[in-house]
Amino acid sequence: MAEVDTMAAGPQLPYLLTALADGIDTIPAEQAAPLLAAAAQGLRQPHSAWVLADALDVVCTRPGLAARLGNRIVRDLATLAEDALAGDCDAALAQPAIAGLLRLAVAGGSPHRLLALLTEITGTEPADALDRLPILIGIARDHFADTDRLLDVLNALENQPDLNPATRADASFELALADERAALQAADRTTAGEQLQRALMRFTELDRTHEARLDARAHAAAIEAVLAFADLEQNPTGDSSARQRLTEAADQLDTTAAHLAAWTGRMHQLDWLSARSLTQSAWAKLVTTLNAAQAHLDQPSWYNPADALNDLLEIYLASRSIHAPANDSTGLTALISPAVEAPFVRSQGLLHQLEQALAHDPQFTDHPDAQALYDAVRQRRQQLSSQAPQQEAVPGKVLEGRPALAALFQELLSFRS
């Protein structure tokens, strides 16, 4: 017990916390109290940034220990982060302190102190204190509501010329992710498309100006593939630039994903950041699905309808693995669905195959996406039917500028009359 204060003040703090976590339920209260006090003091005045990071990793993965340390750990970490950002202590302590606050908040704690701290950042703080901070801001936006003010912080960091280029690039990446997220949460197709275009522009520029940002290149390729697939509704048959864009984007994503795996495969990956890797995998799966499904979009009929329909319905499942839309938000689905629906709107034969699948094939009869697709197709066909009588009897705009064809058309009308 006499050496506990010395251990807590030095690089052995993570080992002390591990031992304390393992025996916290069996240590008598009178012995646990000074141990917890020493541990709290070690977190309040850590030996170094890396010691603090390792110590907080123990605390955040041991809920029992975090509970025994209580709310004081949040207060102490917030104070430590504020001092580091103000230059009153080692600036390198800011990142692990804020990361600890974030992890505790995500695990169920209150995020108010964390968000108040992040929204006060101006970009004029010591550069070392802001290192990797945009990533933490982005994760905070992923998890907590009413965080639009953090976009102002990211903009300030992106446009601060005195910061490290890597920090500014991280801010640019998080702003691009914010645009991407806004597209996924959009209420209509137009807004979703505009937001994805903005995200694509940011990711492309980041990839152009920073050689090592393979993550930006991967997101750019994924978005380009989605936008190209959406454009297939306008030109579903024949030679299509949209098809070529989709194929090239899918190839680019495959190549980039392989490079990312090669670069990061043997690197230490923080478990609590794994959700972002899963998101990139979900985008890759969606693009692969879109690329496989595009072959079915311009066919008048299918030799194997069940397989073709499965490929198309897989698009909906893959899109939901990226983002599950709320009731008032269509987002990604609004961009992708029209291209999936278009073949059934154009072709009575494909619609019949869909109807037969819903009526007789067990794998589709209770499939919610198949029924939703059928309902959407029926609605679009009804809309087109209602618009048909309002069209001109003589296709004037089609014949405009084509006098020979117009004369022939008039002769045919005269003959019929």
Side-chain angles (χ1 to χ4, degrees):
M1 296 291 290
E3 298 178 353
V4 168
D5 291 338
T6 302
M7 291 180 63
Q12 293 179 313
L13 174 62
Y15 302 103
L16 172 63
L17 288 168
T18 300
L20 186 56
D22 289 340
I24 195 68
D25 294 329
T26 59
I27 300 175
E30 64 274 10
Q31 295 181 10
L35 290 173
L36 290 168
Q41 179 63 23
L43 292 170
R44 191 160 44 246
Q45 295 179 334
H47 176 268
S48 62
W50 70 265
V51 169
L52 178 62
D54 287 353
L56 287 173
D57 197 47
V58 175
V59 173
C60 292
T61 55
R62 303 294 185 95
L65 176 60
R68 293 293 295 271
L69 288 170
N71 291 332
R72 61 182 169 181
I73 187 174
V74 174
R75 295 193 301 269
D76 292 342
L77 288 177
T79 300
L80 184 60
E82 290 168 354
D83 291 343
L85 290 168
D88 295 335
C89 67
D90 184 3
L93 292 172
Q95 196 273 343
I98 293 175
L101 285 172
L102 176 59
R103 295 178 68 179
L104 291 171
V106 170
S110 171
H112 297 308
R113 191 72 184 264
L114 167 70
L115 297 179
L117 176 68
L118 293 178
T119 53
E120 292 174 358
I121 292 173
T122 63
T124 59
E125 294 82 2
D128 288 345
L130 300 176
D131 183 40
R132 309 297 286 174
L133 204 57
I135 299 175
L136 301 180
I137 294 174
I139 295 172
R141 292 200 73 250
D142 287 342
H143 285 88
F144 307 117
D146 301 324
T147 56
D148 287 345
R149 290 178 61 189
L150 293 180
L151 293 178
D152 296 333
V153 177
L154 290 172
N155 274 305
L157 296 177
E158 181 188 39
N159 295 307
Q160 179 54 258
D162 295 333
L163 290 183
N164 296 328
T167 301
R168 297 178 64 188
D170 285 340
S172 298
F173 184 80
E174 295 302 327
L175 287 168
L177 286 181
D179 288 331
E180 187 179 87
R181 188 182 303 108
L184 299 180
Q185 298 171 347
D188 57 81
R189 183 182 186 184
T190 300
T191 304
E194 290 173 352
Q195 291 292 343
L196 277 185
Q197 289 285 2
R198 288 184 57 184
L200 177 60
M201 180 183 67
R202 285 185 178 276
F203 284 129
T204 302
E205 179 64 13
L206 187 57
D207 178 37
R208 186 185 68 83
T209 56
H210 293 77
E211 183 179 4
R213 293 310 299 242
L214 293 174
D215 50 356
R217 186 180 305 170
H219 277 274
I223 292 175
E224 177 62 26
V226 169
L227 293 174
F229 186 86
D231 288 344
L232 288 177
E233 183 198 13
Q234 307 301 324
N235 186 11
T237 59
D239 293 333
S240 170
S241 61
R243 290 185 183 281
Q244 183 177 357
R245 284 166 49 210
L246 174 54
T247 301
E248 291 176 351
D251 291 342
Q252 174 75 287
L253 184 56
D254 286 343
T255 301
T256 304
H259 289 167
L260 268 172
W263 277 104
T264 62
R266 295 183 178 273
M267 295 175 62
H268 174 63
Q269 300 291 321
L270 297 175
D271 292 340
W272 62 285
L273 291 178
S274 61
R276 293 209 156 184
S277 297
L278 294 176
T279 300
Q280 290 181 355
S281 298
W283 275 108
K285 180 180 179 181
L286 173 62
V287 171
T288 300
T289 305
L290 294 178
N291 200 30
Q294 66 155 317
H296 306 302
L297 297 181
D298 62 345
Q299 297 175 359
S301 63
W302 295 325
Y303 180 74
N304 194 328
D307 288 350
L309 189 55
N310 256 329
D311 286 345
L312 293 179
L313 295 178
E314 187 70 20
I315 291 174
Y316 295 106
L317 179 61
S319 66
R320 284 195 297 273
S321 69
I322 296 173
H323 176 74
N327 293 333
D328 59 347
S329 141
T330 53
L332 194 59
T333 305
L335 279 173
I336 292 173
S337 293
V340 179
E341 297 159 7
F344 302 97
V345 175
R346 292 192 309 270
S347 171
Q348 183 64 40
L350 294 183
L351 178 60
H352 178 70
Q353 289 179 326
L354 176 58
E355 291 171 338
Q356 292 299 301
L358 286 170
H360 304 295
D361 193 328
Q363 66 177 317
F364 298 117
T365 50
D366 295 322
H367 198 304
D369 290 331
Q371 186 60 54
L373 173 61
Y374 178 68
D375 293 341
V377 170
R378 286 287 302 274
Q379 182 178 1
R380 287 182 62 179
R381 290 174 71 96
Q382 289 172 1
Q383 290 173 349
L384 291 174
S385 298
S386 64
Q387 294 169 3
Q390 302 173 9
Q391 296 177 356
E392 299 180 41
V394 178
K397 289 189 177 296
V398 175
L399 299 178
E400 186 177 353
R402 302 179 182 180
L405 188 58
L408 178 59
F409 187 80
Q410 292 297 335
E411 289 180 8
L412 289 173
L413 287 179
S414 300
F415 176 79
R416 291 179 61 184
S417 61

